[in-house]
Amino acid sequence: MELYINAFAHYLPDDRVPNSYFKDVNGLDDEWIRTRTGISTRSKAGENENTNTMALEAVKRLNEKLPFPIEEVDLIVAATYSPHDTVATAAHMIQRHFKARAARCLTVSAACSSFINAMEIVEGYFAMNKATKAIVVASEHNTEYSNETCPQSGHLWGDGSVAIAISTMPEGEKAARILNIFTRGLGHIGKADTAVYLRPHHGGIGMPEGRDVFINACHYMIEGLNAVTNSQGIKLTDLKFIASHQANKRIMATVARQIDFPEDHMLSNIEEVGNTGCPSCAIALSQNLDRVDHGDLVALSVFGGGYSCGAVLLQFL
């Protein structure tokens, strides 16, 4: 069964927090942050925004591009590690707003790999003939949980969301065939159990083992890229763009160098919006769709705390 992404859309809050804000908060200045992370500003959700509202905003924009009525959607999969509500999830709120009565709804969490894991869940539902039109939405409200005073990671986080529509129909203004999806759990390696955490009321979100994350992210993001391209007999040099997890500009530069890939074709938005978590790779792609042409091969590659990794290979129609 062939699967296609029919449309992409993203939402980013208007507010930007500059590096200068953190000088008095955690002692880090602009040059230090930019040199080590590539971040200059980060997006921040407004007072009345949360993970669910941002997810809904992305789907509202997606609805304007859908080649089918949104009421026909029969599967909604949300992805997040920073939920607003663990019962009335983003998936359920989307179903309610758009009156998608026939939709199965669920939310998945695999840290920053969650978006790609959600895509793989859709692949499984389609293979079982339990769905035909799906929406995947990823949304993170990192600043709700972040501890800004933490000098290790308080300055990293941004907020945002992304949504895609998936069906068996090669329709849509910027449709793309999903050639392969790869995910892998990595809880057994390195400092997976302590490197990144999110514990509400017990320290919020933090990344105390940044070096371990850096080393493993560089290795396993490349492993994911190799997995999806090798499965199709494609070389990494055949890719037009790579949209990776936006955790650190140096990680992206290291991956590009190690696979001899042009760094300017590594799609990036971390400079403006920071680390927006699991939606980040797809937000970067959604922002750069005007650079993608017919026939282009584009890969998404991610590494998440816990640990986990994943990749997707797309060919645009």
Side-chain angles (χ1 to χ4, degrees), residues 33-48:
I33 296 172
R34 282 190 294 105
T35 301
R36 288 160 178 78
T37 69
I39 299 171
S40 294
T41 63
R42 65 281 296 143
S43 53
K44 185 173 183 178
E47 183 177 349
N48 296 317

Side-chain angles (χ1 to χ4, degrees), residues 12 16 41-43 157-159 269-276:
L12 290 166
R16 298 290 180 271
T41 63
R42 65 281 296 143
S43 53
W157 312 109
D159 303 324
N269 60 18
I270 192 172
E271 300 93 336
E272 179 197 355
V273 298
N275 181 352
T276 53

Side-chain angles (χ1 to χ4, degrees), residues 271-290:
E271 300 93 336
E272 179 197 355
V273 298
N275 181 352
T276 53
C278 81
S280 68
C281 61
I283 292 174
L285 176 55
S286 180
Q287 288 178 311
N288 287 278
L289 285 176
D290 60 333

Side-chain angles (χ1 to χ4, degrees), residues 29-95:
D29 61 28
D30 174 68
E31 183 180 2
W32 192 98
I33 296 172
R34 282 190 294 105
T35 301
R36 288 160 178 78
T37 69
I39 299 171
S40 294
T41 63
R42 65 281 296 143
S43 53
K44 185 173 183 178
E47 183 177 349
N48 296 317
E49 294 184 304
N50 57 56
T51 302
N52 285 5
T53 64
M54 288 188 288
L56 186 58
E57 285 299 322
V59 177
K60 286 179 180 178
R61 299 177 183 199
L62 184 77
N63 189 34
E64 298 173 0
K65 307 175 183 179
L66 288 180
F68 49 79
I70 197 168
E71 293 83 5
E72 294 180 4
V73 167
D74 49 15
L75 176 62
I76 303 170
V77 184
T80 186
Y81 57 75
S82 58
H84 171 66
D85 191 325
T86 60
V87 178
T89 72
H92 294 87
M93 294 302 97
I94 290 163
Q95 179 187 39

Side-chain angles (χ1 to χ4, degrees), residues 125-198:
Y125 270 89
F126 278 50
M128 294 185 292
N129 295 316
K130 291 188 174 182
T132 60
K133 296 182 179 72
I135 287 175
V136 174
V137 58
S139 182
E140 301 290 11
H141 192 184
N142 285 311
T143 63
E144 173 72 6
Y145 294 96
S146 65
N147 175 9
E148 295 178 339
T149 66
C150 173
Q152 294 171 316
S153 62
H155 52 286
L156 300 178
W157 312 109
D159 303 324
S161 59
V162 71
I164 62 173
I166 299 177
S167 77
T168 58
M169 304 177 296
E171 300 177 5
E173 184 178 347
K174 276 281 185 175
R177 182 185 171 196
I178 301 173
L179 297 179
N180 194 250
I181 303 173
F182 167 83
T183 65
R184 182 180 176 188
L186 296 166
H188 59 290
I189 68 167
K191 299 180 180 180
D193 58 335
T194 59
V196 187
Y197 61 80
L198 196 164

